[in-house]
């Protein structure tokens, strides 16, 4: 790894700041190669524009191209090409990296499946197990009207997906995906309407506004449940459904949190089977009448 990085910087006139970036990369390449330019700047103690200028000083169009050229060093141990550019047919390392990402997701999902099958969770007993918590929470959320669902920034996409499906089986689902006073108003409105639970998706890097909203919701009298990347979350919650998030990539992968959200929807449907069937039948009739879908 160090030899390949040395080949890139060899013969370049680097400023002291750029040498600092190069030194950090040489010491932390397995992790640094997956960082954004902002994250690398923070770790190396330089500014984000300095990281971009460093990549350009090595002959790259920008930081993303530089990082792409470094990845084979981590995945295969091969050095990057001499001219700082990746040939179109030299993608073996990239393909291997993608397979590794998928393999990691499979391992995470398999581990989660095994916890569900065993009935045991982090605390070690059936009553603390993931399956038990999903079933119990599904019953509580099915009976909660209205049902507010909170998720800001990267978590808002998962909340939108959950809300789309939940509205098919639940009479009043209220996604909260905007912060500020709109979020506060939404919490107050749901509580005044009789809501007792707040479901939140809180994924890394844990937006401070979401944590504050959970604390405020508790003051309003909500019980709170969260889908998060780990059990020991650094914020208050009555129920935690842990689902690992892979962070060794440009973008985090949320395959496991999405799977947990879908399992929770199934538990909600099972908790109110007659209502679920009636609402699904009504939705199908509406979709057929309106020609909503092209396929069956």
């Amino acid at each position: 790894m160090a030899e390949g990085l040395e080949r890139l910087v060899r013969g370049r006139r680097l400023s002291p700041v750029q040498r600092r970036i190069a030194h950090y990369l040489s010491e932390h390449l397995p992790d640094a190669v997956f960082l954004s330019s902002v994250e690398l700047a923070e770790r190396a103690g330089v500014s984000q524009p300095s990281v971009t200028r460093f990549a350009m000083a090595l002959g790259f169009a920008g930081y993303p191209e530089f990082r792409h050229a470094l990845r084979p060093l981590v995945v295969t141990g091969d050095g990057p090409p001499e001219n700082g550019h990746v040939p179109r047919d030299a993608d073996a390392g990239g393909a291997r990296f993608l397979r590794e990402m998928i393999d990691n997701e499979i391992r995470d999902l398999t581990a989660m499946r095994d916890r569900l099958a065993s009935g045991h969770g982090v605390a070690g007993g059936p009553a603390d197990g993931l399956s038990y918590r999903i079933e119990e929470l599904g019953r509580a959320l099915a009976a909660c009207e209205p049902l507010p669902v909170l998720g800001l920034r990267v978590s808002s996409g998962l909340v939108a997906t959950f809300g789309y499906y939940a509205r098919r089986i639940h009479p009043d689902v209220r996604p909260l995906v905007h912060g500020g006073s709109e979020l506060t108003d939404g919490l107050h409105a749901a509580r005044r309407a009789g809501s007792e639970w707040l479901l939140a998706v809180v994924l890394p890097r844990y937006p401070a506004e979401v944590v504050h909203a959970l604390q405020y919701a508790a003051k309003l009298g909500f019980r709170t449940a969260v889908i998060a990347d780990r059990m020991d979350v650094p914020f208050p919650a009555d129920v935690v459904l842990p689902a690992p998030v892979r962070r060794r990539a440009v973008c985090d992968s949320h395959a496991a949190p999405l799977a947990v959200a879908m399992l929770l929807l199934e538990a909600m449907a099972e908790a109110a089977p007659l209502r679920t069937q009636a609402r699904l039948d009504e939705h199908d009739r509406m979709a057929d009448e309106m020609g909503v879908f092209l396929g069956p």
Side-chain angles (χ1 to χ4, degrees):
M1 292 183 189
E3 187 176 324
L5 183 61
E6 171 64 23
R7 193 194 315 167
L8 269 182
V9 302
R10 187 182 303 144
R12 308 283 183 177
R13 293 180 61 87
L14 301 179
S15 69
V17 170
Q18 290 168 346
R19 288 197 296 271
R20 183 188 302 176
I21 297 171
H23 177 73
Y24 181 86
L25 287 172
S26 68
E27 295 291 326
H28 306 89
L29 191 60
D31 294 321
V33 73
F34 298 103
L35 299 175
S36 69
S37 61
V38 174
E39 291 169 331
L40 176 57
E42 291 176 352
R43 305 268 181 104
V46 301
S47 68
Q48 188 275 333
S50 295
V51 172
T52 300
R53 287 194 291 269
F54 172 73
M56 296 177 69
L58 300 184
F60 295 91
Y63 178 73
E65 184 182 341
F66 168 64
R67 181 172 57 184
H68 182 70
L70 287 181
R71 280 183 177 167
L73 287 173
V74 176
V75 178
T76 67
D78 299 330
E82 292 283 358
N83 61 2
H85 297 283
V86 180
R88 293 182 180 179
D89 59 350
D91 195 37
R96 196 170 292 113
F97 170 72
L98 295 177
R99 290 196 299 271
E100 181 182 276
M101 287 183 63
I102 294 174
D103 288 342
N104 287 334
E105 294 293 354
I106 291 172
R107 281 192 286 271
D108 286 343
L109 291 170
T110 299
M112 193 167 64
R113 179 202 63 191
D114 292 344
R115 289 200 301 271
L116 288 166
S118 67
H120 291 261
V122 176
D128 297 313
L130 181 60
S131 178
Y132 177 84
R133 272 177 281 150
I134 289 176
E135 292 173 2
E136 287 293 297
L137 183 59
R139 282 192 284 269
L141 299 186
C144 180
E145 295 184 32
L147 173 58
V149 186
L150 168 63
L152 302 184
R153 302 182 71 86
V154 72
S155 302
S156 63
L158 202 155
V159 168
T161 300
F162 180 91
Y164 173 82
Y165 287 111
R167 280 191 292 268
R168 295 187 179 187
I169 64 172
H170 191 285
D172 191 356
V173 180
R174 302 186 184 183
L176 302 173
V177 294
H178 301 290
S181 60
E182 186 174 342
L183 173 54
T184 303
D185 290 346
L187 290 173
H188 273 280
R191 186 64 179 144
R192 284 196 302 269
S195 178
E196 296 182 353
W197 279 90
L198 171 65
L199 174 65
V201 181
V202 191
L203 301 177
R205 300 165 55 191
Y206 312 136
E209 189 170 13
V210 173
V211 175
H212 296 155
L214 287 170
Q215 294 169 340
Y216 186 63
K219 290 182 180 179
L220 291 177
F222 281 101
R223 297 194 67 191
T224 56
V226 299
I227 297 174
D229 63 317
R230 55 195 175 102
M231 190 68 188
D232 55 333
V233 291
F235 46 81
D238 294 298
V239 178
V240 178
L241 301 182
V245 171
R246 285 284 166 175
R247 303 188 65 180
R248 288 179 60 85
V250 176
C251 301
D252 294 348
S253 176
H254 298 152
L258 176 60
V260 167
M262 296 301 102
L263 291 174
L264 184 56
L265 281 168
E266 291 293 332
M268 290 171 59
E270 288 293 325
L274 296 180
R275 184 183 71 185
T276 295
Q277 190 60 54
R279 292 185 65 84
L280 290 176
D281 290 343
E282 180 184 1
H283 180 273
D284 288 343
R285 286 194 299 271
M286 179 275 296
D288 289 341
E289 292 172 1
M290 301 297 295
V292 174
F293 303 110
L294 296 179

